[in-house]
Amino acid sequence: MVVRTVPLLAGLMLAAPALAQSGKPLRDYPVVEVAGTAVEHVEPDRADVTLGVFAEKPTAAEATAALARQSTGLMQQIDATGIARKDMRTTSVDVTPIYAEAREPKTQIVKQTLTGFRASTRLVVATGDIEHVGELVAKLLATHANQLEGVEFRISDRAEREDALLGKAVANAQKRARLLAEGAAMKLGELVEIDAGQSAPMAYASAKSARGMAAEAAASVAIRPGEERLEAHVRTLWRLLPK
């Protein structure tokens, strides 16, 4: 008896770690693992227009004063379009020196000479008038703004849409699991496990951004948001029951 008991105990001790290392709980009933997906194509309903304004003058004080006048004029022009002040946001203000470089013919040494100062600011304007973003950009660049840094489109209720897609993805997984259960001559039981996640948005169709455009070019460019593809994915595990 003693000789037979020792190998049996050793076998049990070796088996226990192997089960723990698998990372999956033991189940005494059949299961089916099914992935569920839900997709929605959405047109963005908001646009963030980033504009640049700069002024170059002999002194820093003069450049700053000129920038203040241009920025004030730009804000007033945006006010006239009906866009609220809460939808305007200044993201940067800078004053930098401007140097001219000249190389000495004999020594080939490059010398820098201070010629003035450049004051600049960046303003982000949010609008829900997607259809007329191009007209807004052209109008602002034709007067007080010097540069178009970019136009970014977004979906204002993205979080709500992604939550709804998760529910649809679970329903999709349940439908597929039921089909598999019926194909196996069994009945679908309760949900045992579920993991969820959203994919990164994908831009569709038209250009989503236009960067570094000058005022002359902006007036001739049509700006369209296109569509974004929103996705939700779930991994589910269902219990199978006999019919």
Side-chain angles (χ1 to χ4, degrees), residues 72 143 159 224:
T72 300
T143 52
R224 296 289 182 269

Side-chain angles (χ1 to χ4, degrees), residues 94-206:
D94 296 294
V95 179
T96 56
I98 302 173
Y99 293 96
E101 293 186 350
R103 186 183 298 275
E104 288 285 347
K106 294 182 179 180
T107 63
Q108 295 298 306
I109 297 176
V110 177
K111 292 185 177 181
Q112 290 186 331
T113 304
L114 180 65
T115 60
F117 290 84
R118 177 188 176 106
S120 61
T121 185
R122 183 178 289 112
L123 179 69
V124 179
V125 182
T127 177
D129 190 2
I130 300 297
E131 292 297 321
H132 299 96
V133 170
E135 297 175 18
L136 173 66
V137 168
K139 183 183 298 184
L140 298 178
L141 287 176
T143 52
H144 300 285
N146 306 104
Q147 292 178 322
L148 173 62
E149 300 288 340
V151 178
E152 298 292 335
F153 294 96
R154 55 188 169 87
I155 302 168
S156 59
D157 59 345
R158 176 187 295 276
E160 291 80 0
R161 289 180 179 274
E162 289 178 340
D163 288 345
L165 283 175
L166 277 176
K168 293 179 180 179
V170 174
N172 175 253
Q174 185 177 29
K175 178 181 178 181
R176 297 177 65 190
R178 184 171 287 110
L179 290 173
L180 290 172
E182 292 174 356
M186 301 188 77
K187 184 170 61 175
L188 187 66
E190 70 272 13
L191 179 64
V192 179
E193 289 182 9
I194 184 168
D195 291 319
Q198 283 90 9
S199 69
M202 298 176 61
Y204 262 57
S206 306

Side-chain angles (χ1 to χ4, degrees), residues 49 51-53 68-85 87-88 123 125-127 132-147 215:
V49 181
L51 299 165
V53 182
R69 289 192 295 271
Q70 281 184 251
S71 299
T72 300
L74 177 61
M75 298 281 280
Q76 291 173 346
Q77 188 177 16
I78 296 173
D79 286 337
T81 66
I83 296 176
R85 282 293 176 100
D87 291 324
M88 307 178 207
L123 179 69
V125 182
T127 177
H132 299 96
V133 170
E135 297 175 18
L136 173 66
V137 168
K139 183 183 298 184
L140 298 178
L141 287 176
T143 52
H144 300 285
N146 306 104
Q147 292 178 322

